[in-house]
Amino acid sequence: MQQTEARAGDEGARLGALRDVGLLDAEPDPALERLTKLAGELLGVPISLISLVDAGRQYFAGATGLSAPVQRETPLSHSCCRHVVERRAPLVVDDCRESSLLADNLAVRDFGVMAYAGMPLTLSGGETLGAFCAIDKVPHQWSEREVHLLEELTALAVDVLEARRAAGQDLRDRLTGLAGRALFGELVTRAVARAVRGERACAVVAFGLDGFKLVNDALGHAAGDELLRAVAARVSSTLRSGDAACRLAGDEFLVLCDALEDDAQGAAVVARLHSALTHAPFEVEGHAVPVSATVGVATATTVVPADELIDAAVDALVRRKGGVSHEAGRPDPQRRARATRRLRLKHALAGVEERDELALVYQPLVDLREGRLVGFEALLRWTHPELGAVRPDEFIPVAERTGAIVPIGEWVLERAVRDLAAWRATPDGGELTMSVNIAPNQLRSATLPARVGAVCAANDVPADALTLEITERVLLDDRPAYARGMAELQQLGVRVALDDFGTGYSALSYLSRFPLDVLKIDRGFVAGLDVQPRARALLEAITAMAAALGLRTVGEGIETARQLTELAASGCDIGQGYHLARPLPAQEIEPLLGQVWTTGGDDEGAPG
Ligand code: C2E
Ligand code: MG
Ligand code: MG
C-alpha cells in the first residue's frame, strides 16, 4: 500500500517535471528535432523519436521519419518507449517479434516497428520523462557503437530538457501566467521562420487597456491585478494553436498570430481579440468594469528579428495612443534608444561603400591535418565618423533590410579578390583561397554570378579559389531564386559554404537538398568541447555525416588549444579562430603566408 502511494507520488513528480519542460503540445524544439535526425542518419534507421511519456499518451518532442502529416502523439498502447520509462533503463531489441515485452505492442502491428533501441531521458532529479529511440522496420542487430551513439545523443537531449525546465520556471509572467518577454521573443522568432518557410505571414499585435490607471486609482492595485488576470484569461481563450500571448509591462500585452494566410485573416484575428476584450464588462471585486483597448499590429513576411517585429507593433500602438505607452507615459527608454540607433545606422549605411569608411580584415583558415594556411575569410569592418567602430553583427542586418548590403557586398567581393590575387602571386601563396560572406538579398540578385565571374577574371583568380558563405536563413527561405543562384555560381566553379551550422533551424536534410561544398560548424559546438564531455561525439557525428555528403568541414571560433586538438581529432578538415589567428588587416597578412601551425591533427601517427 505504502509502496503504491510512493509510486503514485513519483509519477506525480514525473508528470510535473514533464509539464515544466513545456514541450507537450508545443512546437517541436528544433534542437531535439535535429538530434533525432542525427540519430536516424548515424544509426542508419528510418525513424527516430524523442518520446515524452505523458498520462495516457506519448508525445513526440522530436521526430524524424514519421510520414506526413506528422502525428505527434499516440496512445500508450502504441508506445515502446513507455517500457523504457517503466523500467527506467535502456531497452534494445533486435527483433520485436521475439521480445516478450514488445511482441504484442500495437506499434509493432500498426506501425511496422520491427527493431527498437530506446534510452531513458532521465533528469538530474531522477525523473524519467520519456525515451530517445531509434526504430527500424526490419530486424536490426544494434551494434555496440550504435548503442553508444544513441546514449550520447540521449545525454544531449537530456541537457536540452534540463535547460528548458530551468528556463520554464522563470519564463512566465507571475501575475498572469502568460509568456514573459524573453519566452515570447523566442516564440516570435520561431513563428517568423515557420511562416516564411510556408510562404505565409505572421503578426505581432500589441494592445494596451485604455483607462487602466483609473481602475487602479479607483479600486486599488489588487483590483487592478485581478483585472489584468481576467484580461489575460480572455486573451488566452482567443489564441489558436501556435499563437501566444505575453504581458509586456503594466497594462500592455502582446499577441503572436502564427501562420496567417492573408491580410483578411490577420484582421479577423485582431477583431476577435478586440471583441473578446470588449464584448462584456469584466467582473472585478463585484464591480462591472468595461474595458476598451488600443491595438497596434506589425506583420512579417520575410525573416526579421523578433525584437524588431515586437518594437514595430508597440510603435504602432504608441502612435495610435497618441505617443504614450506603458501606464500613461512611461516610455521604454531602451527600446527608443535601440530604434533611434537603428535609424541612424540605416541612413549612415546608404552609399557607405563610396566614403572610405569600410575596411576588410582577414582571418586565416588552417588545414587541421597539416597545419597549413589554406586561405582566409574576409570580414567587414565599418568605422562611422561619429559612432566609431560599429560591429558587423549590428550593421549587417540593418544593411540587409535596406538593401544597402548589395553595393556593400560588391565592394567586399572586389576588395577581397584583389587582395587574394596579390597573396597568390607570392611564393608561398599560390593555392590560397578566399571566403566571402554573402547576404540573402545578394544571392537573390540575378546578376551575382556574372559579377563574381567578372571579378575573378579581372584579377586572374580561378573561381574555385573563391568560397561564398551563406547562412541557414537562405535555405530556410527555400526560394527557387536561391537554388538557381547557387547552381549558377557552382557552374562557374565557385564553392558555396553554409555558415554557422547548428545555430538556426536548418535540418540535416537540407544539406543534401542544396548544392553545398563546405559546412562551417558554429563556434557554439566548438566551445562545447571545453565544457561538455559529449560535444566531441556530436562533432564526430557531424563531420562524419558531412563527409558522407561530400562536404568539407570548417570549425569556427577555436579559442583554446584543447578545442583545437579535439576538433582536429574529430575529423574536421579546417579550423578558424582566435587561437590560430585573429582577423588581421591586409597589410599584416604577408608574414603569415608560409606559416605552419601545430594542430595536433595527426597526433596518432606523426613522429614527435
Ligand atoms: P561569420 O561569417 O560567422 O564570421 C565569423 C565571426 O566570428 C567573425 O566576427 C569573427 O571575427 C568571429 N570569430 C573568429 N574567431 C573567433 C573566435 O575564436 N572566438 C570568437 N568569439 N569569435 C571569433 P565578425 O567579424 O564580428 O563578423 C560577424 C558576422 O558578420 C559574420 O559572422 C558574418 O555573418 C557577418 N559578416 C562579416 N563580414 C561580412 C560581409 O562582408 N558581408 C556579409 N554579408 N556579412 C558579413
Ligand atoms: Mg562567415
Ligand atoms: Mg560563422
Side-chain angles (χ1 to χ4, degrees):
M1 180 70 198
Q2 236 168 11
Q3 220 178 6
T4 327
E5 265 173 35
R7 224 177 277 146
D10 279 358
E11 182 62 3
R14 195 185 75 76
L15 292 175
L18 193 55
R19 297 280 169 276
D20 282 347
V21 298
L23 284 163
L24 293 175
D25 304 306
E27 249 330 279
D29 183 291
L32 296 181
E33 289 280 273
R34 198 146 49 211
L35 286 173
T36 59
K37 291 211 168 67
L38 257 178
E41 302 195 20
L42 290 169
L43 274 62
V45 293
I47 299 176
S48 170
L49 304 167
I50 291 181
S51 159
L52 301 179
V53 176
D54 194 11
R57 64 167 179 167
Q58 64 174 343
Y59 184 84
F60 303 136
T64 205
L66 298 183
S67 47
V70 174
Q71 189 192 344
R72 286 265 159 203
E73 66 174 85
T74 78
L76 289 180
S77 54
H78 290 72
S79 170
C80 302
C81 293
R82 104 167 186 245
H83 297 291
V84 175
V85 173
E86 280 163 12
R87 295 153 39 112
R88 297 179 173 207
L91 176 62
V92 177
V93 175
D94 294 351
D95 186 336
C96 294
R97 293 166 303 186
E98 289 165 11
S99 154
S100 56
L101 211 50
L102 298 186
D104 296 329
N105 195 293
L106 293 185
V108 175
R109 189 193 73 188
D110 295 345
F111 303 143
V113 173
M114 195 64 93
Y116 175 91
M119 299 292 151
L121 292 160
T122 305
L123 301 185
S124 51
E127 306 91 347
T128 301
L129 302 189
F132 191 151
C133 74
I135 288 175
D136 210 339
K137 295 194 148 192
V138 292
H140 185 124
Q141 262 200 322
W142 303 101
S143 70
E144 224 171 273
R145 182 177 153 73
E146 285 171 337
V147 171
H148 173 68
L149 273 169
L150 190 59
E151 269 167 5
E152 294 291 323
L153 292 167
T154 304
L156 284 165
V158 168
D159 286 348
V160 173
L161 297 178
E162 297 268 22
R164 290 192 58 111
R165 186 183 186 192
Q169 288 164 343
D170 44 49
L171 282 176
R172 305 219 154 248
D173 173 40
R174 277 173 210 283
L175 179 66
T176 60
L178 296 180
R181 176 65 181 73
L183 174 60
F184 188 76
E186 195 185 307
L187 296 172
V188 171
T189 303
R190 291 190 198 175
V192 169
R194 226 171 23 239
V196 170
R197 217 166 16 202
E199 293 196 348
R200 292 175 175 198
C202 95
V204 171
V205 180
F207 71 91
L209 306 180
D210 302 328
F212 176 71
K213 195 169 176 300
L214 287 178
V215 177
N216 250 348
D217 291 349
L219 301 176
H221 281 273
D225 285 355
E226 197 182 326
L227 176 60
L228 292 173
R229 273 194 296 267
V231 165
R234 279 203 201 168
V235 169
S236 299
S237 72
T238 69
L239 304 180
R240 306 160 305 157
S241 89
D243 292 355
C246 153
R247 187 164 73 111
L248 184 59
D251 63 345
E252 284 180 358
F253 295 81
L254 297 170
V255 174
L256 162 67
C257 308
D258 189 35
L260 299 171
E261 299 287 356
D262 50 28
D263 290 351
Q265 203 187 3
V269 172
V270 173
R272 199 164 62 234
L273 183 66
H274 199 262
S275 119
L277 292 172
T278 54
H279 78 274
F282 287 85
E283 273 278 317
V284 177
E285 293 187 346
H287 302 270
V289 179
V291 156
S292 68
T294 308
V295 178
V297 185
T299 307
T301 51
T302 57
V303 175
V304 290
D307 269 350
E308 208 162 291
L309 191 61
I310 292 170
D311 285 357
V314 175
D315 280 339
L317 168 66
V318 171
R319 277 199 301 279
R320 301 188 74 177
K321 264 195 161 180
V324 287
S325 160
H326 298 171
E327 295 166 315
R330 214 159 24 92
D332 177 348
Q334 271 181 348
R335 195 173 56 77
R336 286 260 152 262
R338 276 205 307 272
T340 312
R341 182 164 166 102
R342 267 205 306 266
L343 198 64
R344 186 143 186 216
L345 295 182
K346 181 174 141 180
H347 290 303
L349 279 168
V352 66
E353 69 283 355
E354 288 162 5
R355 287 198 304 267
D356 211 26
E357 292 170 20
L358 297 179
L360 288 182
V361 287
Y362 296 99
Q363 187 171 32
L365 300 171
V366 175
D367 180 299
L368 289 178
R369 267 169 221 97
E370 298 163 11
R372 265 183 319 114
L373 176 71
V374 290
F376 303 95
E377 175 171 5
L379 294 162
L380 187 56
R381 295 292 176 262
W382 178 29
T383 313
H384 182 277
E386 284 144 34
L387 299 171
V390 187
R391 291 164 42 93
D393 289 340
E394 187 182 9
F395 74 80
I396 284 172
V398 179
E400 284 182 6
R401 278 192 298 283
T402 63
I405 194 69
V406 175
I408 293 175
E410 291 230 341
W411 181 92
V412 171
L413 188 68
E414 274 167 32
R415 181 63 59 98
V417 173
R418 199 183 71 196
D419 285 342
L420 176 67
W423 297 325
R424 282 174 65 98
T426 65
D428 289 317
E431 300 291 307
L432 290 172
T433 62
M434 182 65 73
S435 286
V436 172
N437 293 283
I438 291 287
N441 27 7
Q442 280 178 277
L443 193 60
R444 216 155 47 208
S445 142
T447 56
L448 181 73
R451 286 293 308 148
V452 169
V455 170
C456 287
N459 289 283
D460 207 11
V461 165
D464 66 6
L466 183 65
T467 302
L468 299 184
E469 298 192 1
I470 60 167
T471 63
E472 292 183 327
R473 283 175 301 151
V474 168
L475 309 188
L476 257 182
D477 255 3
D478 221 348
R479 294 187 201 183
Y482 291 139
R484 199 172 52 233
M486 280 159 74
E488 279 177 40
L489 287 165
Q490 281 170 322
Q491 264 157 29
L492 288 174
V494 174
R495 307 258 150 87
V496 178
L498 180 65
D499 207 350
D500 306 335
F501 175 71
T503 49
Y505 297 87
S506 77
L508 290 164
S509 60
Y510 277 96
L511 301 185
S512 50
R513 190 129 59 87
F514 282 84
L516 295 168
D517 304 286
V518 178
L519 193 64
K520 294 195 76 173
I521 303 167
D522 187 66
R523 68 164 179 267
F525 281 109
V526 177
L529 287 171
D530 275 342
V531 288
Q532 290 177 323
R534 297 161 212 117
R536 164 86 178 260
L538 188 59
L539 262 172
E540 276 175 15
I542 294 174
T543 54
M545 209 235 355
L549 292 168
L551 302 173
R552 307 253 295 156
T553 40
V554 180
E556 294 186 278
I558 304 170
E559 291 185 348
T560 66
R562 166 139 183 231
Q563 288 167 4
L564 179 64
T565 19
E566 293 252 319
L567 196 63
S570 74
C572 184
D573 300 309
I574 292 167
Q576 176 180 5
Y578 296 164
H579 180 72
L580 293 164
R582 296 219 163 223
L584 297 165
Q587 59 277 18
E588 291 177 33
I589 292 295
E590 278 222 38
L592 287 181
L593 294 184
Q595 184 168 330
V596 174
W597 278 261
T598 312
T599 61
D602 41 8
D603 55 354
E604 286 172 357

